[in-house]
Structures are given as C-alpha cells and as structure tokens.
Amino acid sequence: MGMGDADSAAIRMRLIEAEFTTPRRTGDSGRRARSTEPAAPVDLGILAYMQASVDEVVSHTRAAAPDAPPPPATASAVYHWMDQNTAHLDAEKRQAAEVIVYRQALEHALAVGDESVVRRHPCPDCGCWGLFWRASARRAACVNRHCSGEGQAAHTFTLAQLARRHVASRESAVRRAT
C-alpha cells in the first residue's frame, strides 16, 4: 500500500480527533438562560464519523486477512495496521484496501474543510484539472463546459470513483516503470 496514503489518512484522522473531539471552553459573555441539560462536550456526529471510518477499515482487513491481530485502540493507527496485515495479499486485494484508505483520506480532509484535495485530481471523463467539491451533493463536479456538453449538467464523481482512479493510475505507473 502506498505508505503516503496511510500516513495522510492517519494524520487527517488525528487532526479530526484533536480539533473536533476535545471539549471546547466557552467564555461567559454575560447573563443567559441556563439549559435544563448540558450540551455534549464533543460533537457526537464527528465521533460517529470516526467510528464508522475505523469500522470500515477493520471489517475490510478482517475479511481480507482473518488471521490479523486485534486492531489498535487509536483511530489513526488502524491505517498502518491495515497496511501491515494486507501487504501479503494479491495485487487486487491490496488495491481495494488502498482505495478505502485514499477515499477516507479525502473524506477526512473534507471533514475539516479542505476542499483543495478534490482539485488535485483530473476529471475522469475529460482529463482537465477543473474539479471542485459540491458539498450539497457530496460529489466532485467538473467545471469544463466541453466535458458536460451544451446545456447539460456538469459531470459529477464520488470520492470512491476519484480514489479508484487515483490508485489505478498509480499502479499502472508503477507497472510501466518496472
């Protein structure tokens, strides 16, 4: 697996953990009505997102390598755990694991507001560098008017599609180099 992808996903997961799961202090800005129930000290949606990401990596690794040792306790460490336990698999299974890790790295970046990660990918249809993130649709869209055609909606792509294409192009470059 591309160690850069596992590192990137782990770093972004640590960033999410540090920024969004630490309790925030709010200054007292004067008098206000007291709530009957205290607010959750962290964003529960982010915790659920992080757990879903970890669960996906663990379940994929367990399916591909049932004899793998237990996963690590920290969320960001599961990517290296997956890498270590899927390194011996055939190319197709390793590539499937790489796609998951790369897609999650993109998702983590978007979760913290970094939409530039989408612009670093060429359009899968026309090859131009005109992709941008449509948060409402949760898809990347090509801005090249020649790609979509006159009067048609822009072509859109899921993060999974971008990840598959990225990993496949990297693998083909490695095969051509050897």
Side-chain angles (χ1 to χ4, degrees):
M1 180 181 303
M3 189 51 86
D5 294 342
D7 288 337
S8 176
I11 289 168
R12 289 178 175 150
M13 180 65 88
R14 279 193 297 274
L15 178 65
I16 290 171
E17 192 171 26
E19 290 295 320
F20 296 105
T21 64
T22 53
R24 295 192 177 154
R25 295 178 132 193
T26 57
D28 189 15
S29 60
R31 299 184 72 165
R32 63 175 187 233
R34 297 194 183 256
S35 67
T36 57
E37 294 180 14
V42 296
D43 185 348
L44 299 178
I46 291 292
L47 288 178
Y49 164 78
M50 290 173 58
Q51 188 60 51
S53 297
V54 169
D55 289 346
E56 180 184 16
V57 170
V58 170
S59 65
H60 179 82
T61 304
R62 289 271 180 232
D67 57 340
T74 58
S76 59
V78 297
Y79 299 107
H80 293 290
W81 173 79
M82 177 189 223
D83 188 31
Q84 292 169 349
N85 291 291
T86 58
H88 67 283
L89 301 175
D90 63 20
E92 185 177 319
K93 289 181 181 178
R94 275 195 326 269
Q95 191 170 0
E98 289 179 36
V99 168
I100 290 171
V101 171
Y102 191 78
R103 179 187 45 79
Q104 285 193 8
L106 293 174
E107 290 171 352
H108 299 343
L110 291 168
V112 296
D114 182 10
E115 294 181 357
S116 68
V117 294
V118 172
R119 292 190 293 272
R120 296 179 192 144
H121 293 87
C123 173
D125 285 348
C126 70
C128 77
W129 295 93
L131 291 182
F132 70 97
W133 182 245
R134 283 193 175 163
S136 60
R138 304 249 342 122
R139 295 174 73 89
C142 181
V143 296
N144 184 352
R145 65 183 176 93
H146 300 292
C147 181
S148 60
E150 293 295 324
Q152 296 178 354
H155 289 169
T156 61
F157 310 94
T158 64
L159 293 178
Q161 289 172 310
L162 295 179
R164 275 193 300 276
R165 183 171 172 99
H166 175 79
V167 170
S169 67
R170 187 178 58 209
E171 290 294 320
S172 70
V174 168
R175 279 194 299 267
R176 282 193 309 259
T178 56

